[in-house]
Amino acid sequence: MRITEVESFAVSIPLKEPVAFATRVVEERDHAIVYVRTEDGTEGLGYTLGYGGADVVAQAVESVLAPMVEGEDPRDTSRLWREMFDGTVQIGRKGVMVRAISCIDTALWDIKAKAAGMPLYKLLGGHADEVPAYASGGYYREGKGLEGLREEMERYVERGHDVVKMKVGRKPVEEEVERVRVAREAIGPNRTLLMDANGKWKNKQEAVRACRKFAEYDPYFIEEPVMPDSLDLYREVNEALDYAVAGGELEFNRYGFRDLIREDAVEVIQPDVTVVGGVTEWMRVANTAASHDIPVAPHYNWDLHIQLLAAIENGLWIEYFYRDSDVKAFDDVLEHPIEPEDGMIQLPQRPGHGVELDRDALEAFRI
């Protein structure tokens, strides 16, 4: 089996209205899309969220990485990962190039599982046939207010979720405390509340002051209280709180996660398969975390992450966004959108990672 073609391009899917988190306003969701094809007609899919740079990732795949893998055996994922990473180290290591590697590596694993005639999670080892999902939301939107937040959280509970997540950090601390209070009231005392600050706070005093004020409402973790490269600050905040710090959605390989774990900077890791280096690197990260009894709660991209979480023993939750919240829009190009039932997602049994895209929809959103 040999790779004969790599196709890459970008799409951008507009939201109905802007949505915000602590550090950014979002009006559209752009993705780099990568197809890898073999001589026998097998096709693998990879993709990543672009945050305004999806076309740059697609170009990196086409101009730099595609020539490295064309003509190679797609089943040689370990070797090809190392060749792509080492072959781009002067311009890569993190950022755009590792997102591009993620796309190709994920497509290769899709091909491997299809060739084996089994779902990806079974090929990777198979630990569970269903995975728990938390409802992610609580974003900021003009006119939403406290009652809008309350209604949103109550809606997630009505849909069967015992774990929900909300954004914090965009407003003054006193207003954020009120938002957290309302969320806790909406879900009740016995469900799990998660919070995400998207790296808002710039120093220990700001982060710890805010997070300690939230403690009254029994959060399970605070995600990204500070920027991802502030490793010492991460550790200091984690040490200062009585509940967990989570992070890792913007870590780009095993080495970044090694440092997070070694420095006791986080207690929950959140690798994203479309960021960290694909399936190959995601599994390395998850298995390293298992050696330290650290749980894994991957960031976004539930359609791919269900396959990975179902293959490991230290999986915690899948992050899930309902399409009617109009925060993530990738469902608009999916052939088989997934929705939890009573907070659980059943693993699809299609060979490969199970994600198939609507080609007509892709064309409509193509950049």
Side-chain angles (χ1 to χ4, degrees):
M1 180 180 282
R2 297 292 169 185
I3 297 169
T4 57
E5 181 185 10
V6 177
E7 179 187 11
S8 62
F9 56 91
V11 299
S12 183
I13 308 170
L15 302 180
K16 293 178 181 177
E17 58 184 37
V19 68
F21 48 86
T23 56
R24 186 170 183 162
V25 175
V26 179
E27 297 181 355
E28 60 185 5
R29 295 294 187 177
D30 63 320
H31 292 78
I33 309 294
V34 174
Y35 285 104
V36 177
R37 301 183 179 98
T38 68
E39 59 192 353
D40 67 353
T42 306
E43 181 178 78
L45 169 68
Y47 54 88
T48 187
L49 188 61
Y51 293 100
D55 56 336
V56 179
V57 178
Q59 290 167 18
V61 170
E62 179 180 356
S63 62
V64 180
L65 298 180
M68 294 184 181
V69 300
E70 287 171 346
E72 299 289 348
D73 188 329
R75 296 166 295 189
D76 293 348
T77 47
S78 181
R79 175 178 64 83
L80 291 176
W81 192 95
R82 178 48 66 182
E83 289 179 2
M84 287 189 289
F85 188 79
D86 287 359
T88 59
V89 69
Q90 287 82 9
I91 57 171
R93 298 179 56 246
K94 295 184 177 183
V96 167
M97 195 57 68
V98 178
R99 284 182 182 267
I101 291 172
S102 300
C103 292
I104 288 185
D105 183 81
T106 299
L108 298 184
W109 278 96
D110 193 21
I111 291 170
K112 285 177 71 169
K114 287 176 177 176
M118 63 179 67
L120 178 59
Y121 81 102
K122 292 290 190 183
L123 182 65
L124 292 171
H127 185 74
D129 294 320
E130 62 177 6
V131 292
Y134 68 83
S136 196
Y139 280 65
Y140 305 86
R141 196 165 251 141
E142 187 174 351
K144 183 175 180 178
L146 292 176
E147 285 311 303
L149 175 63
R150 184 188 301 275
E151 292 171 3
E152 180 187 0
M153 295 294 116
E154 289 174 345
R155 187 162 60 249
Y156 296 149
V157 171
E158 291 169 0
R159 289 172 170 174
H161 291 278
D162 290 327
V163 186
V164 302
K165 189 168 80 177
M166 64 178 293
K167 296 296 188 182
V168 295
R170 189 168 183 83
K171 297 178 179 292
V173 172
E174 292 72 19
E175 293 183 43
E176 292 293 357
V177 172
E178 275 298 286
R179 295 180 71 252
V180 175
R181 178 188 66 79
V182 165
R184 171 53 72 191
E185 286 182 356
I187 69 173
N190 298 320
R191 294 185 176 87
T192 300
L193 178 62
L194 315 175
M195 304 179 303
D196 183 3
N198 291 103
K200 169 66 176 182
W201 297 301
K202 305 304 181 186
N203 55 58
K204 178 181 177 180
Q205 291 76 17
E206 287 183 4
V208 172
R209 176 174 177 267
C211 292
R212 283 180 175 169
K213 286 181 176 290
F214 302 147
E216 177 182 354
Y217 303 105
D218 190 28
Y220 184 92
F221 69 52
I222 177 70
E223 179 179 336
E224 287 194 325
V226 298
M227 292 297 284
D229 289 323
S230 300
L231 189 60
D232 290 341
L233 187 53
Y234 246 113
R235 183 188 65 249
E236 291 170 2
V237 173
N238 193 32
E239 291 173 348
L241 298 181
D242 292 330
Y243 56 93
V245 168
E249 71 176 68
L250 295 178
E251 284 298 337
F252 286 96
N253 52 53
R254 80 194 79 158
Y255 308 112
F257 280 96
R258 174 201 60 196
D259 294 342
L260 280 175
I261 293 170
R262 182 178 60 196
E263 296 297 322
D264 293 323
V266 295
E267 295 175 42
V268 177
I269 64 165
Q270 299 175 294
D272 185 329
V273 67
T274 74
V275 175
V276 75
V279 175
T280 300
E281 197 74 345
W282 195 98
M283 292 298 293
R284 288 170 176 154
V285 168
N287 289 330
T288 297
S291 299
H292 296 268
D293 297 311
I294 293 175
V296 178
H299 165 254
Y300 178 41
N301 292 303
W302 60 88
D303 297 278
L304 292 174
H305 283 136
I306 57 173
Q307 297 283 340
L308 307 186
L309 206 73
I312 63 173
E313 64 180 43
N314 54 327
L316 191 55
W317 303 297
I318 288 292
E319 181 174 26
Y320 185 86
F321 290 85
Y322 283 90
R323 184 62 185 94
D324 59 14
S325 71
D326 196 35
V327 171
K328 306 291 188 181
F330 202 59
D331 276 6
D332 291 3
V333 297
L334 291 179
E335 290 279 9
H336 309 287
I338 291 171
E339 190 162 309
E341 293 184 11
D342 295 324
M344 300 295 292
I345 297 177
Q346 299 289 326
L347 270 292
Q349 295 303 306
R350 295 183 295 276
H353 56 46
V355 182
E356 298 175 6
L357 303 186
D358 182 324
R359 303 303 174 95
D360 292 335
L362 287 176
E363 276 304 313
F365 297 119
R366 190 160 178 161
I367 298 175

